[in-house]
Amino acid sequence: GAVVSQHPSRVICKSGTSVKIECRSLDFQATTMFWYRQFPKQSLMLMATSNEGSKATYEQGVEKDKFLINHASLTLSTLTVTSAHPEDSSFYICSAPLAGDLYNEQFFGPGTRLTVL
Amino acid sequence: SQQGEEDPQALSIQEGENATMNCSYKTSINNLQWYRQNSGRGLVHLILIRSNEREKHSGRLRVTLDTSKKSSSLLITASRAADTASYFCASNQAGTALIFGKGTTLSVSS
């Protein structure tokens, strides 16, 4: 199956710093990638849709200036949490569908656990 | 936003028993998928059922889909302690993100 990687897997940072999370499709091209956030004991919530070569689409309530998304190539999307605060501590997961797959099976990265002190 | 609900929210059973989890969704879908997540870990894809399918099997897993009721069920037969995890259904329309249900936490005791 298709593989999606994320880096880093875990990051601890001080309040006020910015953190960049990378999502890569390793063996396929992804014109679209999705970013999710999961708080403890909760489900995954869609944050934004990352589109290669164009602006990301954010879900309601997600601040686009705080969560910067860049989809610079067909295999890489990055999520930057700017001026992170403790309430941004969460598990961030990306996914990507295979382009051309009519049923759009999506492949998930292993996630990045962000802890903001 | 979340597509639907799962029930029960929590389920505790003994090893060897069957576990059934239900999922409902709100809008028309392209496919529905079930995932497992162990505590603090990433998602493990279990099974995908397409909107034109009614039932699918994979090992000890059986998934049903009723598009008229906008619901799906996941049955795990002969459960094991290693099945202890959270289970999520997720569905989407073509070209859109998966939207997840709230999940069912399954605890299997030996």
Side-chain angles (χ1 to χ4, degrees):
Chain A
V3 178
V4 174
S5 70
Q6 277 185 246
H7 177 79
S9 58
R10 187 180 297 267
V11 57
I12 301 172
C13 69
K14 292 182 179 179
S15 186
T17 59
S18 294
V19 175
K20 180 186 284 188
I21 302 170
E22 294 184 346
C23 177
R24 291 183 187 273
S25 56
L26 297 186
D27 50 1
F28 67 101
Q29 293 184 333
T31 55
T32 301
M33 291 182 176
F34 303 104
W35 286 96
Y36 296 82
R37 179 170 54 182
Q38 184 182 30
F39 292 108
K41 299 190 186 304
Q42 294 187 24
S43 184
L44 281 75
M45 297 293 290
L46 178 66
M47 297 177 67
T49 301
S50 172
N51 303 298
E52 188 269 336
S54 64
K55 291 183 180 180
T57 305
Y58 291 82
E59 295 298 301
Q60 191 173 11
V62 177
E63 301 173 56
K64 62 180 180 180
D65 294 330
K66 181 169 183 60
F67 297 99
L68 300 180
I69 291 174
N70 183 21
H71 197 142
S73 76
L74 288 172
T75 59
L76 174 64
S77 174
T78 60
L79 168 68
T80 301
V81 183
T82 62
S83 186
H85 290 282
E87 58 266 29
D88 298 322
S89 297
S90 188
F91 194 49
Y92 292 87
I93 307 175
C94 68
S95 75
L98 284 174
D101 182 340
L102 180 64
Y103 288 95
N104 294 128
E105 181 170 351
Q106 295 184 20
F107 300 90
F108 283 82
T112 296
R113 187 162 303 283
L114 171 63
T115 303
V116 185
L117 302 176
Chain B
S1 62
Q2 284 181 302
Q3 172 69 292
E5 303 286 329
E6 273 135 303
D7 82 273
Q9 292 187 357
L11 180 61
S12 294
I13 59 175
Q14 298 285 321
E15 263 193 327
E17 294 180 338
N18 295 343
T20 300
M21 289 160 263
N22 302 296
C23 165
S24 63
Y25 56 92
K26 298 174 183 174
T27 64
S28 62
I29 61 170
N30 210 33
N31 66 57
L32 187 141
Q33 304 182 44
W34 284 89
Y35 290 85
R36 184 183 75 223
Q37 185 180 39
N38 290 82
S39 181
R41 307 293 295 273
L43 296 173
V44 175
H45 181 260
L46 295 177
I47 199 163
L48 178 152
I49 186 165
R50 305 194 190 287
S51 59
N52 61 354
E53 297 176 316
R54 293 295 167 260
E55 187 171 313
K56 206 161 182 180
H57 296 253
S58 176
R60 293 185 296 114
L61 307 179
R62 173 177 169 258
V63 167
T64 63
L65 179 64
D66 187 336
T67 53
S68 67
K69 295 181 179 178
K70 291 187 168 60
S71 67
S72 174
S73 69
L74 170 67
L75 168 68
I76 304 174
T77 60
S79 62
R80 305 166 183 168
D83 294 328
T84 295
S86 293
Y87 292 82
F88 298 95
C89 71
S91 57
N92 70 336
Q93 298 173 327
T96 66
L98 283 172
I99 303 298
F100 285 78
K102 292 184 178 179
T104 294
T105 300
L106 173 65
S107 177
V108 182
S109 53
S110 54

